[in-house]
Amino acid sequence: MKAFYLVKNGKSEDAFELRDLQLKEPGDDEVMIEVEAFGLNFADVMARLGYYKACPPLPAVIGYDAAGRIIKKGKNVTDLETGQKVTALTRFGAYATHVVTNKSGVVPVTEDTDAATATALATQYTTAYYAAEFSMNLQKGEHVLIQAAAGGVGTALTQLIKRKGCIIYGTAGSKEKEKYIKNNGVDFPINYREQDFFEYIKSIRGEKSLDAVFDSIGGNYIKKSIKLLAPGGRLVIYGAAQIAGNSSKKSFLRPIKVLMGFGRYSPVKFFAESQSLIGVNMLKTGDFKPEILKKCMTDVVNLYNNGEIKPHISRVFKATELSEAHNYLQKRQSVGKIVVKW
Ligand SMILES: NC(=O)c1ccc[n+]([C@@H]2O[C@H](COP(=O)([O-])OP(=O)(O)OC[C@H]3O[C@@H](n4cnc5c(N)ncnc54)[C@H](OP(=O)(O)O)[C@@H]3O)[C@@H](O)[C@H]2O)c1
C-alpha cells in the first residue's frame, strides 16, 4: 500500500512524498477500499498551503474523494458488500492506493460508472446537493446566483438548480469558462474579470432582487451578495476561496483581510428582511448527521444513474503528476472535476 503524504506546506512540487502506507483494519462501521482514482478538491489546495484548520498534523494523507472497490468491511456494515464498486467521501486519506473510511460516506456505483466520474459524485456533487436540497427550498422561477459556477461544486449546483426551473446567474474567471457555464445551464453568465457581478445584477434587476446566493469565495463577496438579496432571500456560504490567492507562500494577512471583508451583521437585519444566512460544512454534517450524508450521496448517485446530472471531468492526471494537478486547480485552469488515477 502506498500514499502521497503531505509533508510540507507551500509549493506543490515540494509538498508531497509517495511513501508506504500502514493502514489499520476497518473498524465495525468502516470499509477498506482499493482506490482506482482519487479526486482533487479546492480544500486540498487550502490544506497544502497551510490554511485548512481541519487538516491533520503533517505528515498527513489528505483527500476527500476515492473511487474503487471494497476489499474489507466491518461487522456493522450490512448495506455494502466486498467487491462492490463504490464512490466514497473520505475524511482525508484518499491520496492513497487504499483507504479505510466510515460506511456513511460510501455508496455503490454501477459497473459502467468510470472511476473519474465516481469521484466527482462524492464531495463536490454531494456538497452541492446538500446545499441546494437540504439548506434551501428553491422554487420554480426564483433568481439564483452561483459563484465560481465553472468549478466542481459550481458545475454540480448549476445542474441541480436548473432542474428546479430557477433563473441562474453564474460567475466565472475567463471567456472559455463563461461559455462552459452557459452550456451547463447558467442563464446569465458573468465573466467577473470584465464586469463586477454586483454592478451587473444591479443594472439588470436592481438591488434586493435575488432569491438565493451560493457563495464559495467569501470576504467582500458576502457584503455585495447581501445587498442583492430580496426579502425572503437565502445566502449559503460554503467556502472562502479568496484566502488561497495565487502564491504558494502562506500569507498571514490575507486570511485576516478576507475574514474582515465578510462584514458584521445583526441577526435583527435578517429577521426584519425575512432572510437567511446558512453555513455548509460537509465534515460537520458527516460527523453529526451521518445518515444525511449517506442520503445525499445516495440521491446523487441515483440522479446520475437516471441521467439527470452529468459531471464534467476537466482532466485526469497520472499519480506521478499530482503536483501538476494541484497547480492546475490553484491557478484556476480547471472546469468541473480534476482526478488522479493510479
Ligand atoms: N463547505 C464544504 O463542505 C465544502 C465542500 C466542498 C467544497 N467546498 C468549497 O467550495 C468551493 C469550490 O470547491 P471545488 O473543489 O469545486 O473547487 P473549484 O470550484 O473547482 O475551484 C475553485 C474555483 O474558484 C474560483 N475562484 C474564484 N476566486 C478565487 C480565488 N480568489 N482563488 C481561487 N479560486 C477562486 C476559480 O474559478 P474562476 O476561474 O471561475 O474564478 C476556481 O477554479 C471551494 O471554496 C471549496 O473550499 C466546501
Side-chain angles (χ1 to χ4, degrees):
M1 296 184 205
K2 297 267 180 200
F4 283 101
Y5 280 80
L6 176 62
V7 292
K8 196 172 165 189
N9 294 128
K11 274 204 314 214
S12 68
E13 290 76 7
D14 306 329
F16 297 102
E17 270 180 27
L18 186 62
R19 295 182 179 179
D20 288 333
L21 174 70
Q22 304 298 329
L23 211 51
K24 64 177 176 67
E25 290 295 303
D28 292 349
D29 294 310
E30 293 177 327
V31 298
M32 184 185 285
I33 298 166
E34 186 170 12
V35 177
E36 184 183 342
F38 59 86
L40 260 59
N41 289 282
F42 199 72
D44 302 354
V45 172
M46 299 288 263
R48 169 170 60 80
L49 297 175
Y51 290 124
Y52 199 57
K53 273 199 179 144
C55 181
L58 307 193
V61 184
I62 61 169
Y64 286 120
D65 313 318
R69 283 188 195 277
I70 297 178
I71 55 169
K72 288 182 188 177
K73 63 174 195 165
K75 70 172 177 3
N76 296 340
V77 183
T78 51
D79 60 338
L80 297 164
E81 298 302 332
T82 51
Q84 251 173 352
K85 189 169 181 179
V86 291
T87 177
L89 200 169
T90 62
R91 209 183 199 293
F92 307 103
Y95 285 19
T97 59
H98 298 76
V99 63
V100 169
T101 194
N102 191 281
K103 62 180 182 174
S104 60
V106 182
V107 172
V109 294
T110 60
E111 280 298 322
D112 58 359
T113 304
D114 71 279
T117 299
T119 66
L121 298 174
T123 313
Q124 292 172 336
Y125 270 78
T126 300
T127 302
Y129 188 84
Y130 179 81
E133 295 284 340
F134 272 78
S135 306
M136 293 279 197
N137 185 12
L138 293 169
Q139 304 294 313
K140 190 173 176 197
E142 285 196 313
H143 290 257
V144 178
L145 168 65
I146 301 172
Q147 299 289 4
V153 180
T155 296
L157 278 172
T158 305
Q159 293 174 6
L160 290 165
I161 292 167
K162 195 74 185 172
R163 293 165 57 246
K164 296 188 170 285
C166 297
I167 296 117
I168 304 178
Y169 304 74
T171 62
S174 70
K175 281 205 164 59
E176 293 71 36
K177 288 189 178 187
E178 195 182 341
K179 242 187 253 165
Y180 167 81
I181 62 174
K182 192 167 177 56
N183 288 336
N184 193 41
V186 171
D187 301 288
F188 294 92
I190 306 163
N191 177 353
Y192 64 79
R193 296 196 196 271
E194 290 179 353
Q195 54 192 166
D196 180 75
F197 79 89
F198 174 77
E199 295 301 334
Y200 174 75
I201 294 172
K202 195 172 107 177
S203 71
I204 58 171
R205 283 191 55 80
E207 287 193 19
K208 298 191 172 214
S209 60
L210 293 180
D211 302 297
V213 178
F214 291 82
D215 187 279
S216 59
I217 310 297
N220 56 351
Y221 275 51
I222 301 302
K223 270 189 200 153
K224 291 179 180 181
S225 292
I226 286 176
K227 282 191 190 158
L228 289 172
L229 269 194
R234 293 87 82 204
L235 166 61
V236 176
I237 303 177
Y238 62 97
Q242 261 191 46
I243 289 176
N246 297 322
S247 166
S248 287
K249 255 190 138 174
K250 186 172 176 178
S251 153
F252 288 94
L253 277 182
R254 180 185 279 272
I256 297 168
K257 228 174 121 186
V258 174
L259 286 178
M260 284 171 63
F262 273 87
R264 294 168 70 120
Y265 308 95
S266 160
V268 175
K269 180 220 168 326
F270 292 97
F271 150 60
E273 297 280 336
S274 195
Q275 293 173 330
S276 312
L277 182 58
I278 300 163
V280 167
N281 178 345
M282 293 311 286
L283 285 185
K284 295 282 177 205
T285 303
D287 287 347
F288 291 92
K289 296 274 178 191
E291 67 289 354
I292 289 185
L293 176 68
K294 185 85 169 199
K295 179 175 172 18
C296 288
M297 281 190 81
T298 305
D299 289 354
V300 161
V301 170
N302 287 337
L303 286 173
Y304 172 72
N305 291 341
N306 295 338
E308 292 185 59
I309 52 173
K310 194 173 182 306
H312 176 90
I313 308 302
S314 183
R315 253 181 90 175
V316 179
F317 290 84
K318 294 185 210 138
T320 48
E321 299 170 326
L322 179 60
S323 78
E324 284 100 309
H326 256 250
N327 288 337
Y328 195 69
L329 182 55
Q330 188 185 356
K331 292 185 178 152
R332 308 188 196 184
Q333 289 168 298
S334 61
V335 286
K337 183 73 178 165
I338 302 178
V339 182
V340 174
K341 264 196 175 170
W342 286 105

